[in-house]
mmCIF file of all heavy atoms in Angstrom:
data_model
loop_
_atom_site.group_PDB
_atom_site.id
_atom_site.type_symbol
_atom_site.label_atom_id
_atom_site.label_comp_id
_atom_site.label_asym_id
_atom_site.label_seq_id
_atom_site.Cartn_x
_atom_site.Cartn_y
_atom_site.Cartn_z
ATOM 1 N N GLU A 7 -6.294 13.652 -6.824
ATOM 2 C CA GLU A 7 -6.167 14.276 -5.510
ATOM 3 C C GLU A 7 -5.233 13.449 -4.636
ATOM 4 O O GLU A 7 -5.334 12.231 -4.565
ATOM 5 C CB GLU A 7 -7.543 14.362 -4.853
ATOM 6 C CG GLU A 7 -7.531 15.097 -3.543
ATOM 7 C CD GLU A 7 -8.909 15.151 -2.918
ATOM 8 O OE1 GLU A 7 -9.887 15.309 -3.662
ATOM 9 O OE2 GLU A 7 -8.988 15.024 -1.694
ATOM 10 N N SER A 8 -4.301 14.117 -3.992
ATOM 11 C CA SER A 8 -3.338 13.445 -3.127
ATOM 12 C C SER A 8 -4.031 12.975 -1.854
ATOM 13 O O SER A 8 -4.802 13.711 -1.249
ATOM 14 C CB SER A 8 -2.203 14.410 -2.787
ATOM 15 O OG SER A 8 -1.275 13.771 -1.967
ATOM 16 N N LEU A 9 -3.765 11.743 -1.498
ATOM 17 C CA LEU A 9 -4.329 11.170 -0.273
ATOM 18 C C LEU A 9 -3.280 11.207 0.831
ATOM 19 O O LEU A 9 -2.098 10.988 0.572
ATOM 20 C CB LEU A 9 -4.750 9.718 -0.502
ATOM 21 C CG LEU A 9 -5.915 9.467 -1.434
ATOM 22 C CD1 LEU A 9 -6.043 7.970 -1.704
ATOM 23 C CD2 LEU A 9 -7.201 9.998 -0.850
ATOM 24 N N PRO A 10 -3.706 11.403 2.072
ATOM 25 C CA PRO A 10 -2.737 11.314 3.178
ATOM 26 C C PRO A 10 -2.378 9.847 3.396
ATOM 27 O O PRO A 10 -3.126 8.949 3.018
ATOM 28 C CB PRO A 10 -3.524 11.872 4.368
ATOM 29 C CG PRO A 10 -4.959 11.614 4.040
ATOM 30 C CD PRO A 10 -5.060 11.718 2.536
ATOM 31 N N PRO A 11 -1.227 9.565 3.998
ATOM 32 C CA PRO A 11 -0.889 8.179 4.323
ATOM 33 C C PRO A 11 -1.999 7.573 5.190
ATOM 34 O O PRO A 11 -2.628 8.276 5.985
ATOM 35 C CB PRO A 11 0.423 8.284 5.096
ATOM 36 C CG PRO A 11 0.986 9.606 4.689
ATOM 37 C CD PRO A 11 -0.190 10.495 4.420
ATOM 38 N N PRO A 12 -2.257 6.278 5.042
ATOM 39 C CA PRO A 12 -3.340 5.660 5.810
ATOM 40 C C PRO A 12 -3.045 5.645 7.313
ATOM 41 O O PRO A 12 -1.893 5.535 7.738
ATOM 42 C CB PRO A 12 -3.413 4.241 5.257
ATOM 43 C CG PRO A 12 -2.114 4.007 4.584
ATOM 44 C CD PRO A 12 -1.573 5.333 4.174
ATOM 45 N N ASP A 13 -4.123 5.743 8.100
ATOM 46 C CA ASP A 13 -3.992 5.662 9.557
ATOM 47 C C ASP A 13 -3.577 4.253 9.981
ATOM 48 O O ASP A 13 -2.819 4.079 10.924
ATOM 49 C CB ASP A 13 -5.314 6.030 10.240
ATOM 50 C CG ASP A 13 -5.664 7.493 10.056
ATOM 51 O OD1 ASP A 13 -4.738 8.321 9.929
ATOM 52 O OD2 ASP A 13 -6.865 7.805 10.028
ATOM 53 N N ASN A 14 -4.110 3.250 9.288
ATOM 54 C CA ASN A 14 -3.807 1.861 9.612
ATOM 55 C C ASN A 14 -3.188 1.225 8.366
ATOM 56 O O ASN A 14 -3.891 0.754 7.477
ATOM 57 C CB ASN A 14 -5.091 1.127 10.033
ATOM 58 C CG ASN A 14 -4.820 -0.287 10.503
ATOM 59 O OD1 ASN A 14 -3.844 -0.922 10.099
ATOM 60 N ND2 ASN A 14 -5.701 -0.788 11.352
ATOM 61 N N LEU A 15 -1.849 1.229 8.289
ATOM 62 C CA LEU A 15 -1.144 0.742 7.104
ATOM 63 C C LEU A 15 -1.380 -0.745 6.882
ATOM 64 O O LEU A 15 -1.586 -1.178 5.754
ATOM 65 C CB LEU A 15 0.352 1.054 7.212
ATOM 66 C CG LEU A 15 1.195 0.705 5.990
ATOM 67 C CD1 LEU A 15 0.680 1.401 4.734
ATOM 68 C CD2 LEU A 15 2.663 1.044 6.240
ATOM 69 N N ARG A 16 -1.413 -1.539 7.932
ATOM 70 C CA ARG A 16 -1.619 -2.980 7.778
ATOM 71 C C ARG A 16 -2.978 -3.256 7.143
ATOM 72 O O ARG A 16 -3.077 -4.014 6.181
ATOM 73 C CB ARG A 16 -1.511 -3.694 9.129
ATOM 74 C CG ARG A 16 -1.725 -5.195 8.998
ATOM 75 C CD ARG A 16 -1.586 -5.927 10.306
ATOM 76 N NE ARG A 16 -1.932 -7.325 10.146
ATOM 77 C CZ ARG A 16 -1.284 -8.325 10.703
ATOM 78 N NH1 ARG A 16 -0.242 -8.092 11.467
ATOM 79 N NH2 ARG A 16 -1.674 -9.563 10.509
ATOM 80 N N LEU A 17 -4.018 -2.641 7.657
ATOM 81 C CA LEU A 17 -5.359 -2.823 7.113
ATOM 82 C C LEU A 17 -5.391 -2.416 5.640
ATOM 83 O O LEU A 17 -5.939 -3.141 4.794
ATOM 84 C CB LEU A 17 -6.347 -1.974 7.921
ATOM 85 C CG LEU A 17 -7.791 -1.962 7.454
ATOM 86 C CD1 LEU A 17 -8.715 -1.958 8.660
ATOM 87 C CD2 LEU A 17 -8.077 -0.766 6.581
ATOM 88 N N THR A 18 -4.784 -1.295 5.319
ATOM 89 C CA THR A 18 -4.776 -0.795 3.934
ATOM 90 C C THR A 18 -4.012 -1.740 3.020
ATOM 91 O O THR A 18 -4.478 -2.053 1.917
ATOM 92 C CB THR A 18 -4.170 0.623 3.887
ATOM 93 O OG1 THR A 18 -4.921 1.465 4.762
ATOM 94 C CG2 THR A 18 -4.200 1.188 2.481
ATOM 95 N N LEU A 19 -2.849 -2.217 3.454
ATOM 96 C CA LEU A 19 -2.060 -3.135 2.619
ATOM 97 C C LEU A 19 -2.804 -4.450 2.394
ATOM 98 O O LEU A 19 -2.791 -4.990 1.278
ATOM 99 C CB LEU A 19 -0.689 -3.380 3.245
ATOM 100 C CG LEU A 19 0.260 -2.182 3.241
ATOM 101 C CD1 LEU A 19 1.546 -2.518 3.987
ATOM 102 C CD2 LEU A 19 0.552 -1.709 1.824
ATOM 103 N N GLU A 20 -3.445 -4.977 3.419
ATOM 104 C CA GLU A 20 -4.230 -6.202 3.254
ATOM 105 C C GLU A 20 -5.322 -5.999 2.216
ATOM 106 O O GLU A 20 -5.535 -6.846 1.343
ATOM 107 C CB GLU A 20 -4.846 -6.638 4.587
ATOM 108 C CG GLU A 20 -3.863 -7.241 5.556
ATOM 109 C CD GLU A 20 -4.500 -7.580 6.908
ATOM 110 O OE1 GLU A 20 -5.585 -7.047 7.224
ATOM 111 O OE2 GLU A 20 -3.893 -8.371 7.635
ATOM 112 N N ALA A 21 -6.015 -4.855 2.286
ATOM 113 C CA ALA A 21 -7.081 -4.560 1.329
ATOM 114 C C ALA A 21 -6.519 -4.442 -0.092
ATOM 115 O O ALA A 21 -7.104 -4.969 -1.044
ATOM 116 C CB ALA A 21 -7.811 -3.279 1.728
ATOM 117 N N LEU A 22 -5.403 -3.770 -0.235
ATOM 118 C CA LEU A 22 -4.797 -3.610 -1.554
ATOM 119 C C LEU A 22 -4.364 -4.959 -2.135
ATOM 120 O O LEU A 22 -4.583 -5.230 -3.321
ATOM 121 C CB LEU A 22 -3.595 -2.661 -1.483
ATOM 122 C CG LEU A 22 -3.915 -1.202 -1.180
ATOM 123 C CD1 LEU A 22 -2.632 -0.406 -0.961
ATOM 124 C CD2 LEU A 22 -4.759 -0.579 -2.279
ATOM 125 N N LEU A 23 -3.768 -5.810 -1.303
ATOM 126 C CA LEU A 23 -3.351 -7.129 -1.767
ATOM 127 C C LEU A 23 -4.560 -7.987 -2.159
ATOM 128 O O LEU A 23 -4.489 -8.771 -3.094
ATOM 129 C CB LEU A 23 -2.515 -7.838 -0.699
ATOM 130 C CG LEU A 23 -1.121 -7.263 -0.487
ATOM 131 C CD1 LEU A 23 -0.500 -7.825 0.787
ATOM 132 C CD2 LEU A 23 -0.234 -7.537 -1.687
ATOM 133 N N LEU A 24 -5.657 -7.799 -1.452
ATOM 134 C CA LEU A 24 -6.863 -8.564 -1.741
ATOM 135 C C LEU A 24 -7.479 -8.181 -3.082
ATOM 136 O O LEU A 24 -7.936 -9.043 -3.825
ATOM 137 C CB LEU A 24 -7.890 -8.364 -0.615
ATOM 138 C CG LEU A 24 -9.182 -9.157 -0.733
ATOM 139 C CD1 LEU A 24 -8.911 -10.648 -0.623
ATOM 140 C CD2 LEU A 24 -10.148 -8.724 0.346
ATOM 141 N N VAL A 25 -7.474 -6.903 -3.417
ATOM 142 C CA VAL A 25 -8.158 -6.453 -4.635
ATOM 143 C C VAL A 25 -7.239 -6.286 -5.839
ATOM 144 O O VAL A 25 -7.726 -6.059 -6.953
ATOM 145 C CB VAL A 25 -8.926 -5.125 -4.396
ATOM 146 C CG1 VAL A 25 -9.952 -5.293 -3.294
ATOM 147 C CG2 VAL A 25 -7.988 -3.980 -4.099
ATOM 148 N N ALA A 26 -5.932 -6.405 -5.659
ATOM 149 C CA ALA A 26 -4.997 -6.204 -6.768
ATOM 150 C C ALA A 26 -5.276 -7.189 -7.896
ATOM 151 O O ALA A 26 -5.444 -8.379 -7.663
ATOM 152 C CB ALA A 26 -3.558 -6.359 -6.276
ATOM 153 N N GLU A 27 -5.320 -6.667 -9.125
ATOM 154 C CA GLU A 27 -5.551 -7.498 -10.300
ATOM 155 C C GLU A 27 -4.394 -8.469 -10.524
ATOM 156 O O GLU A 27 -4.591 -9.604 -10.934
ATOM 157 C CB GLU A 27 -5.706 -6.607 -11.528
ATOM 158 C CG GLU A 27 -6.982 -6.860 -12.270
ATOM 159 C CD GLU A 27 -7.158 -5.894 -13.409
ATOM 160 O OE1 GLU A 27 -6.559 -6.127 -14.478
ATOM 161 O OE2 GLU A 27 -7.884 -4.917 -13.216
ATOM 162 N N SER A 28 -3.176 -7.987 -10.294
ATOM 163 C CA SER A 28 -1.997 -8.847 -10.368
ATOM 164 C C SER A 28 -1.129 -8.521 -9.157
ATOM 165 O O SER A 28 -1.218 -7.426 -8.606
ATOM 166 C CB SER A 28 -1.239 -8.615 -11.677
ATOM 167 O OG SER A 28 -0.849 -7.272 -11.791
ATOM 168 N N PRO A 29 -0.303 -9.471 -8.719
ATOM 169 C CA PRO A 29 0.483 -9.259 -7.501
ATOM 170 C C PRO A 29 1.370 -8.020 -7.593
ATOM 171 O O PRO A 29 2.191 -7.903 -8.502
ATOM 172 C CB PRO A 29 1.315 -10.535 -7.386
ATOM 173 C CG PRO A 29 0.536 -11.566 -8.133
ATOM 174 C CD PRO A 29 -0.099 -10.818 -9.266
ATOM 175 N N PRO A 30 1.213 -7.068 -6.662
ATOM 176 C CA PRO A 30 2.029 -5.855 -6.673
ATOM 177 C C PRO A 30 3.386 -6.064 -6.008
ATOM 178 O O PRO A 30 3.632 -7.078 -5.358
ATOM 179 C CB PRO A 30 1.182 -4.865 -5.861
ATOM 180 C CG PRO A 30 0.442 -5.734 -4.899
ATOM 181 C CD PRO A 30 0.180 -7.034 -5.628
ATOM 182 N N THR A 31 4.248 -5.073 -6.157
ATOM 183 C CA THR A 31 5.559 -5.067 -5.508
ATOM 184 C C THR A 31 5.500 -4.146 -4.292
ATOM 185 O O THR A 31 4.546 -3.379 -4.125
ATOM 186 C CB THR A 31 6.640 -4.542 -6.472
ATOM 187 O OG1 THR A 31 6.326 -3.182 -6.805
ATOM 188 C CG2 THR A 31 6.739 -5.386 -7.728
ATOM 189 N N ILE A 32 6.526 -4.202 -3.468
ATOM 190 C CA ILE A 32 6.640 -3.291 -2.316
ATOM 191 C C ILE A 32 6.597 -1.839 -2.805
ATOM 192 O O ILE A 32 5.879 -1.004 -2.261
ATOM 193 C CB ILE A 32 7.963 -3.547 -1.542
ATOM 194 C CG1 ILE A 32 7.976 -4.945 -0.916
ATOM 195 C CG2 ILE A 32 8.226 -2.453 -0.512
ATOM 196 C CD1 ILE A 32 7.162 -5.114 0.325
ATOM 197 N N ARG A 33 7.353 -1.555 -3.845
ATOM 198 C CA ARG A 33 7.422 -0.185 -4.376
ATOM 199 C C ARG A 33 6.040 0.304 -4.828
ATOM 200 O O ARG A 33 5.665 1.443 -4.576
ATOM 201 C CB ARG A 33 8.416 -0.110 -5.524
ATOM 202 C CG ARG A 33 8.405 1.278 -6.183
ATOM 203 C CD ARG A 33 9.661 1.631 -6.853
ATOM 204 N NE ARG A 33 10.645 1.927 -5.817
ATOM 205 C CZ ARG A 33 11.920 1.624 -5.915
ATOM 206 N NH1 ARG A 33 12.394 1.043 -6.980
ATOM 207 N NH2 ARG A 33 12.758 1.922 -4.950
ATOM 208 N N MET A 34 5.270 -0.562 -5.500
ATOM 209 C CA MET A 34 3.924 -0.165 -5.946
ATOM 210 C C MET A 34 3.031 0.158 -4.744
ATOM 211 O O MET A 34 2.308 1.152 -4.747
ATOM 212 C CB MET A 34 3.288 -1.278 -6.785
ATOM 213 C CG MET A 34 3.954 -1.522 -8.110
ATOM 214 S SD MET A 34 3.424 -3.098 -8.833
ATOM 215 C CE MET A 34 1.882 -2.602 -9.567
ATOM 216 N N LEU A 35 3.100 -0.674 -3.731
ATOM 217 C CA LEU A 35 2.284 -0.452 -2.538
ATOM 218 C C LEU A 35 2.708 0.828 -1.820
ATOM 219 O O LEU A 35 1.858 1.572 -1.319
ATOM 220 C CB LEU A 35 2.371 -1.656 -1.604
ATOM 221 C CG LEU A 35 1.744 -2.950 -2.134
ATOM 222 C CD1 LEU A 35 2.084 -4.123 -1.224
ATOM 223 C CD2 LEU A 35 0.235 -2.807 -2.293
ATOM 224 N N ALA A 36 3.996 1.095 -1.789
ATOM 225 C CA ALA A 36 4.490 2.323 -1.156
ATOM 226 C C ALA A 36 3.996 3.549 -1.922
ATOM 227 O O ALA A 36 3.577 4.546 -1.316
ATOM 228 C CB ALA A 36 6.013 2.307 -1.092
ATOM 229 N N ARG A 37 4.040 3.474 -3.238
ATOM 230 C CA ARG A 37 3.585 4.596 -4.061
ATOM 231 C C ARG A 37 2.090 4.861 -3.854
ATOM 232 O O ARG A 37 1.664 5.997 -3.679
ATOM 233 C CB ARG A 37 3.874 4.319 -5.542
ATOM 234 C CG ARG A 37 3.665 5.541 -6.433
ATOM 235 C CD ARG A 37 3.946 5.266 -7.898
ATOM 236 N NE ARG A 37 2.922 4.398 -8.448
ATOM 237 C CZ ARG A 37 3.119 3.181 -8.941
ATOM 238 N NH1 ARG A 37 4.322 2.659 -8.972
ATOM 239 N NH2 ARG A 37 2.123 2.476 -9.423
ATOM 240 N N VAL A 38 1.285 3.800 -3.827
ATOM 241 C CA VAL A 38 -0.164 3.951 -3.666
ATOM 242 C C VAL A 38 -0.523 4.510 -2.292
ATOM 243 O O VAL A 38 -1.421 5.345 -2.167
ATOM 244 C CB VAL A 38 -0.882 2.600 -3.906
ATOM 245 C CG1 VAL A 38 -2.339 2.650 -3.491
ATOM 246 C CG2 VAL A 38 -0.767 2.192 -5.370
ATOM 247 N N THR A 39 0.185 4.061 -1.263
ATOM 248 C CA THR A 39 -0.147 4.499 0.103
ATOM 249 C C THR A 39 0.568 5.783 0.505
ATOM 250 O O THR A 39 0.199 6.393 1.511
ATOM 251 C CB THR A 39 0.204 3.401 1.126
ATOM 252 O OG1 THR A 39 1.595 3.077 0.996
ATOM 253 C CG2 THR A 39 -0.657 2.166 0.924
ATOM 254 N N GLY A 40 1.597 6.160 -0.240
ATOM 255 C CA GLY A 40 2.321 7.377 0.088
ATOM 256 C C GLY A 40 3.226 7.241 1.294
ATOM 257 O O GLY A 40 3.512 8.218 1.989
ATOM 258 N N VAL A 41 3.687 6.026 1.552
ATOM 259 C CA VAL A 41 4.613 5.804 2.670
ATOM 260 C C VAL A 41 5.918 5.240 2.111
ATOM 261 O O VAL A 41 5.944 4.713 1.001
ATOM 262 C CB VAL A 41 4.021 4.848 3.739
ATOM 263 C CG1 VAL A 41 2.743 5.411 4.326
ATOM 264 C CG2 VAL A 41 3.785 3.469 3.180
ATOM 265 N N PRO A 42 7.010 5.330 2.865
ATOM 266 C CA PRO A 42 8.297 4.812 2.377
ATOM 267 C C PRO A 42 8.264 3.284 2.183
ATOM 268 O O PRO A 42 7.524 2.561 2.865
ATOM 269 C CB PRO A 42 9.291 5.177 3.489
ATOM 270 C CG PRO A 42 8.611 6.227 4.305
ATOM 271 C CD PRO A 42 7.140 6.011 4.157
ATOM 272 N N ASP A 43 9.098 2.820 1.244
ATOM 273 C CA ASP A 43 9.221 1.378 0.988
ATOM 274 C C ASP A 43 9.499 0.614 2.282
ATOM 275 O O ASP A 43 8.951 -0.472 2.498
ATOM 276 C CB ASP A 43 10.372 1.099 0.012
ATOM 277 C CG ASP A 43 10.091 1.561 -1.409
ATOM 278 O OD1 ASP A 43 9.080 2.257 -1.641
ATOM 279 O OD2 ASP A 43 10.902 1.224 -2.293
ATOM 280 N N ALA A 44 10.353 1.166 3.140
ATOM 281 C CA ALA A 44 10.739 0.484 4.383
ATOM 282 C C ALA A 44 9.535 0.272 5.293
ATOM 283 O O ALA A 44 9.426 -0.769 5.963
ATOM 284 C CB ALA A 44 11.824 1.270 5.111
ATOM 285 N N ALA A 45 8.613 1.227 5.330
ATOM 286 C CA ALA A 45 7.412 1.082 6.164
ATOM 287 C C ALA A 45 6.524 -0.037 5.619
ATOM 288 O O ALA A 45 5.983 -0.845 6.382
ATOM 289 C CB ALA A 45 6.639 2.398 6.223
ATOM 290 N N VAL A 46 6.397 -0.096 4.293
ATOM 291 C CA VAL A 46 5.603 -1.171 3.677
ATOM 292 C C VAL A 46 6.273 -2.510 3.951
ATOM 293 O O VAL A 46 5.614 -3.472 4.346
ATOM 294 C CB VAL A 46 5.423 -0.928 2.157
ATOM 295 C CG1 VAL A 46 4.780 -2.138 1.485
ATOM 296 C CG2 VAL A 46 4.599 0.324 1.906
ATOM 297 N N GLU A 47 7.585 -2.592 3.760
ATOM 298 C CA GLU A 47 8.321 -3.840 3.995
ATOM 299 C C GLU A 47 8.145 -4.316 5.432
ATOM 300 O O GLU A 47 7.979 -5.502 5.687
ATOM 301 C CB GLU A 47 9.801 -3.660 3.669
ATOM 302 C CG GLU A 47 10.654 -4.897 3.922
ATOM 303 C CD GLU A 47 10.253 -6.104 3.098
ATOM 304 O OE1 GLU A 47 10.088 -5.971 1.876
ATOM 305 O OE2 GLU A 47 10.087 -7.201 3.691
#
């Protein structure tokens, strides 16, 4: 199921970085959150 982009991108990115099994890339985080790479960067 497609998720909408998060309301609070910073909170979501912090959570993703905390639980990631291995260090992700900007592109991976953008894909998971559904926001452009530039917004994640």
Side-chain angles (χ1 to χ4, degrees):
E7 185 180 322
S8 180
L9 292 171
D13 292 331
N14 185 333
L15 185 57
R16 180 178 174 139
L17 176 142
T18 303
L19 291 176
E20 286 176 342
L22 292 173
L23 289 167
L24 183 65
V25 301
E27 235 175 81
S28 58
T31 63
I32 295 283
R33 175 155 287 144
M34 293 165 82
L35 293 171
R37 191 180 70 243
V38 169
T39 57
V41 300
D43 290 9
V46 172
E47 178 61 49

